[in-house]
Amino acid sequence: MKPFPPFSTIPQNEDEAFMLEALKEARKAYEKEEVPVGAVLVHNKRIIARAHNQTELLTDATAHAEILCITMGSAALENWRLAETTLYCTLEPCSMCAGAMLLSRIPNLVWGTPDIRHGANGSWVDLFEKPHPTHAMSIKKGILQDECAFLMKEFFKNRRNRPSFKKGVPEEYFCHGE
């Protein structure tokens, strides 16, 4: 079995380095039996918010990593307008998260792997395709796509194979000392 991402990946640039941080958040979701999506919000090359999916824990369909990250980022900057930020997420945003990104004025989005069922950047629908009347967003997709996809595939494989999913990846594949 190949090492559990992202810990076998050496970042080649700033986008990959921040995506690795988002993957660490996704791993936290995985360990809590949540769909393993992670996000980090970066301002001036510094992470100001990090989150992972918590829909099961909070019994809240809106508790996606991106939404939680946007909320924390707004608190950190004391402003709902998240100008000069970049949101890194391991999965293509859904329509709810895409709308929140537009409304919070995030200028840069970087995501990892496509979401064919709910993706709102072209996989299912594309909410970013039409120019927005008040806000423009730069988007990079497919950053560390294989690593992001690996987590999702492992999660759903384990969900299908066991009715009571309990951390199906061996402990030695997790990073220690965080």
Side-chain angles (χ1 to χ4, degrees), residues 64-163:
H64 289 196
E66 302 94 325
I67 298 293
L68 298 171
C69 211
I70 288 168
T71 300
M72 287 186 265
S74 295
L77 294 179
E78 298 179 342
N79 195 331
W80 64 268
R81 290 177 190 90
L82 297 174
E84 300 176 20
T85 63
T86 301
L87 183 63
Y88 291 83
C89 29
T90 58
L91 185 66
E92 176 184 4
C94 70
S95 56
M96 173 183 66
C97 294
M101 290 172 203
L102 288 169
L103 292 172
S104 61
R105 312 295 196 268
I106 292 173
N108 304 296
L109 167 63
V110 180
W111 57 264
T113 196
D115 182 352
I116 59 169
R117 292 188 179 133
H118 304 288
N121 190 205
S123 294
W124 178 59
V125 297
D126 196 346
L127 296 182
F128 302 110
E129 121 185 271
K130 184 177 178 182
H132 192 272
T134 62
H135 178 63
M137 183 182 286
S138 168
I139 301 172
K140 291 182 186 176
K141 35 180 134 169
I143 305 300
L144 298 184
Q145 181 172 339
D146 292 341
E147 291 84 345
C148 295
F150 179 85
L151 263 179
M152 297 296 284
K153 288 174 185 174
E154 284 298 306
F155 178 82
F156 286 108
K157 181 175 77 174
N158 285 321
R159 286 289 255 202
R160 283 189 301 275
N161 292 337
R162 292 204 308 270

Side-chain angles (χ1 to χ4, degrees), residues 51-62:
H52 55 275
N53 274 4
Q54 295 185 44
T55 54
E56 299 297 333
L57 174 71
L58 301 175
T59 59
D60 179 357
T62 68

